[in-house]
Amino acid sequence: MKKQGLLGNQRFLLIASLMLALSIAVAVSRILLAERSETITIINDAAAVLSALIATVLFVRVWLSTSSKDISKKIWGQIVVGMVAWTVAEGTWAYYEVILGQEVPYPSLADSFWLFGYVMFYVALLNQYRLFQTAPTQRQKLAVFWLVVVFSLIVSFLVLIPIIESFDPQKVLESLLNIAYPLFDLVLLILTLAIIFSLEQGRFALTWRLLGLGLVFMSSADLMFSYASWNEIYFPDGRLNSITVLIDTLYYVSYLALGLAAYTYGIVSDSLQSVKIDVVLRALTKSNILVFIDRDGRIISASDNFLDLVRSLQNPAHYLQRPFSQALNIDQALMADLVRKTIQQGSLSTQPMEIRASRGDLRTIWLTSVAVYEGQKKLVCLALVLRTNFNLQGEEERALSEEQKMLINYYLTQAGTYQNEENQVLKAYFLEQIRLLYSLIQQFSGVSVAHKLMIHLNQVVGQKDWHFTFTGQEIGI
């Protein structure tokens, strides 16, 4: 699929075409029936309610299909509440004009729902901007700045200043609403422009452009309505004129654009493949085996679960005085090197080793070793704690005595193994956050941007000599 892949998507083209056809049909029918004011009022109100309802249903569909773990679900919920409020407002307006056949009072219940809908959209847009905003470029800042200045000047001179100058103290609430609507629309325009410019790229960029376009249409229609109503050129004497057709058309087209944005989000979400990237981290072990060996690497004693490790039915005494490397089929040179390093350094922590049990199966263990001295100079033995995960297929692991458990805790603490495992947990958390970040960047800015993140991370770990790997398939230690 090219770019968003929607220009070639049959579902998108079908819904967009149906919405366009509905918009044209309503506009043409109103023009053809211009002499029948009651009929065109019914058509206009029905179109507004239907369009708002379509948008609401599509946003509810997005909200329901979004996982509760998805950070965008809250934002879609806020938009749904705003859309429901606006739909109720349109329905209330239509109820007065079509059902009751009377002029809508001002202020009315519809106004409270419209204003509440504005507030919910403000909250949603602010949360969206904070969530996915990247640092705007100088070009973006200038574009938003000048557009805001132009809109502010137009709204101020054509709408706000005339309304403020004719403020009627006898009709305080009506006068305040006359000022509130243009201000609310101006703020909505500013937030919408900020969203559009901050999400220029990414898979969901077209979704937010369509949503922004719908809000721009809505704000423009409101501002034009305020201007036309104030100058008494909106539906003058019950006659349809060009500015009335434009304003009303913008209203229901704005709802359809919002609905198309919600539908587009669903299409893009369905087409997204889940980010399959594995976090590779050593699994924490569950079983500890205690073994004491002498300077030459011969076994002095071992806990009973040593037999579970070697998968042997022999008596534990069978392994006494046998070379540790021979009992576990470890390379003798490797074992000699581990003994030498333990004596030199005093301890080794979590050394990975591959052993072969008596039945021939391979197993990975992690060895922690501590040199045990009498006094400070005389080496008594080496204490080994072997850590692994047993798979005894229904059999129970041989139990450790309380003394052995205490010794294991002591040696693991002395060698720093517990501290290392705490570090592993922190590393695991760090890697999970990197994976989440990679997933978000891939979804909202594309694969190429996510790949640049991996390149940058690999450069950093190379400079710092950290033992991490970052690729498009694996994040690991």
Side-chain angles (χ1 to χ4, degrees):
M1 298 195 309
K2 296 180 181 180
K3 289 188 177 181
Q4 312 299 328
L6 293 174
L7 295 181
N9 187 286
Q10 294 182 352
R11 291 165 55 198
F12 172 80
L13 292 177
L14 175 61
I15 296 300
S17 300
L18 289 175
M19 289 182 173
L20 179 61
L22 175 62
S23 303
I24 295 174
V26 173
V28 171
S29 63
R30 294 184 68 215
I31 294 172
L32 294 177
L33 300 171
E35 300 301 323
R36 303 170 63 176
S37 60
E38 291 184 3
T39 303
I40 61 175
T41 297
I42 293 173
I43 293 174
N44 184 61
D45 288 346
V49 173
L50 177 62
S51 300
L53 187 60
I54 290 172
T56 301
V57 170
L58 291 173
F59 275 112
V60 169
R61 176 174 172 265
V62 169
W63 178 71
L64 290 175
S65 63
T66 303
S67 169
S68 58
K69 297 180 181 179
D70 194 323
I71 48 182
S72 64
K73 188 177 182 72
K74 180 180 178 181
I75 296 173
W76 294 123
Q78 292 161 349
I79 291 178
V80 165
V81 174
M83 282 305 312
V84 169
W86 279 353
T87 303
V88 173
E90 294 290 355
T92 304
W93 185 281
Y95 175 77
Y96 277 107
E97 287 195 329
V98 178
I99 306 299
L100 299 181
Q102 66 183 52
E103 185 178 347
V104 182
Y106 186 70
S108 72
L109 184 62
D111 294 297
S112 61
F113 282 108
W114 263 311
L115 294 176
F116 177 70
Y118 274 108
V119 173
M120 294 309 301
F121 267 93
Y122 292 161
V123 173
L125 292 176
L126 283 171
N127 287 335
Q128 177 65 33
Y129 185 75
R130 290 169 181 167
L131 187 61
F132 297 114
Q133 179 199 10
T134 55
T137 64
Q138 190 65 27
R139 178 180 62 83
Q140 291 172 334
K141 290 179 180 178
L142 287 174
V144 173
F145 173 77
W146 286 113
L147 285 171
V148 169
V149 169
V150 170
F151 276 118
S152 300
L153 289 175
I154 292 174
V155 173
S156 297
F157 283 104
L158 295 182
V159 181
L160 283 174
I161 291 177
I163 292 175
I164 293 173
E165 288 178 346
S166 58
F167 188 90
D168 188 353
Q170 302 300 320
K171 300 180 179 179
V172 176
L173 186 56
E174 182 177 336
S175 299
L176 288 176
L177 276 177
N178 288 336
I179 298 172
Y181 272 117
L183 285 176
F184 274 45
D185 288 314
L186 184 60
V187 174
L188 189 62
L189 275 173
I190 294 172
L191 288 174
T192 302
L193 291 172
I195 286 288
I196 291 174
F197 278 96
S198 66
L199 294 174
E200 284 190 344
Q201 297 179 350
R203 294 178 182 268
F204 295 109
L206 181 57
T207 296
W208 284 96
R209 285 186 185 128
L210 287 171
L211 193 145
L213 184 64
L215 294 177
V216 168
F217 284 163
M218 175 68 69
S219 300
S220 301
D222 262 342
L223 292 171
M224 292 171 63
F225 177 76
S226 298
Y227 173 79
S229 297
W230 189 257
N231 291 281
E232 299 181 349
I233 57 175
Y234 177 80
F235 224 142
D237 301 322
R239 292 181 290 105
L240 193 67
N241 58 6
S242 56
I243 192 169
T244 302
V245 173
L246 177 60
I247 291 171
D248 293 342
T249 302
L250 279 176
Y251 269 122
Y252 58 77
V253 168
S254 67
Y255 288 126
L256 293 176
L258 291 173
L260 185 60
Y263 190 76
T264 301
Y265 183 88
I267 293 176
V268 176
S269 297
D270 292 342
S271 67
L272 278 176
Q273 294 181 352
S274 60
V275 180
K276 294 182 179 179
I277 182 164
D278 296 324
V279 171
V280 180
L281 189 69
R282 177 182 62 80
L284 297 180
T285 54
K286 296 180 180 179
S287 300
N288 300 322
I289 302 99
L290 182 62
V291 181
F292 292 96
I293 62 174
D294 60 19
R295 181 190 291 269
D296 297 323
R298 295 181 179 276
I299 297 174
I300 299 173
S301 67
S303 56
D304 288 345
N305 59 356
F306 181 77
L307 296 178
D308 293 327
L309 179 66
V310 296
R311 299 288 183 88
S312 173
L313 298 177
Q314 298 282 350
N315 187 288
H318 174 76
Y319 291 93
L320 297 182
Q321 297 304 314
R322 290 187 61 181
F324 181 81
S325 58
Q326 184 185 88
L328 295 181
N329 292 294
I330 302 172
D331 181 73
Q332 190 173 358
L334 172 62
M335 192 63 214
D337 185 57
L338 288 172
V339 170
R340 179 181 59 80
K341 287 182 178 178
T342 302
I343 294 173
Q344 288 179 347
Q345 301 174 16
S347 65
L348 291 176
S349 177
T350 319
Q351 298 296 307
M353 300 180 67
E354 194 171 68
I355 67 171
R356 187 178 296 276
S358 60
R359 300 177 186 178
D361 53 322
L362 289 173
R363 179 187 297 275
T364 300
I365 64 171
W366 289 270
L367 180 145
T368 293
S369 56
V370 176
V372 180
Y373 289 89
E374 182 181 337
Q376 294 182 348
K377 295 183 178 180
K378 183 180 179 181
L379 179 68
V380 176
C381 63
L382 272 65
L384 309 181
V385 179
L386 313 179
R387 317 197 77 195
T388 188
N389 291 316
F390 285 131
N391 182 16
L392 301 179
Q393 299 179 344
E395 300 178 21
E396 291 188 5
E397 177 185 347
R398 291 173 172 84
L400 294 170
S401 68
E402 290 302 318
E403 181 184 6
Q404 289 170 341
K405 291 178 182 178
M406 292 176 61
L407 286 172
I408 286 172
N409 284 331
Y410 170 75
Y411 294 132
L412 290 178
T413 302
Q414 188 174 353
T417 299
Y418 283 147
Q419 183 178 357
N420 289 340
E421 290 206 342
E422 289 175 359
N423 291 337
Q424 286 293 94
V425 173
L426 291 176
K427 289 174 184 177
Y429 176 79
F430 166 73
L431 294 182
E432 286 293 348
Q433 301 312 303
I434 292 294
R435 177 163 64 174
L436 174 61
L437 179 62
Y438 179 89
S439 174
L440 290 173
I441 291 175
Q442 178 174 332
Q443 291 185 28
F444 292 94
S445 297
V447 177
S448 60
V449 180
H451 182 62
K452 289 180 181 178
L453 169 68
M454 291 303 184
I455 293 175
H456 175 71
L457 289 174
N458 273 318
Q459 290 174 347
V460 172
V461 299
Q463 294 168 358
K464 302 292 186 179
D465 195 28
W466 292 341
H467 301 289
F468 291 98
T469 58
F470 297 101
T471 69
Q473 294 76 40
E474 179 180 296
I475 297 177
I477 300 178

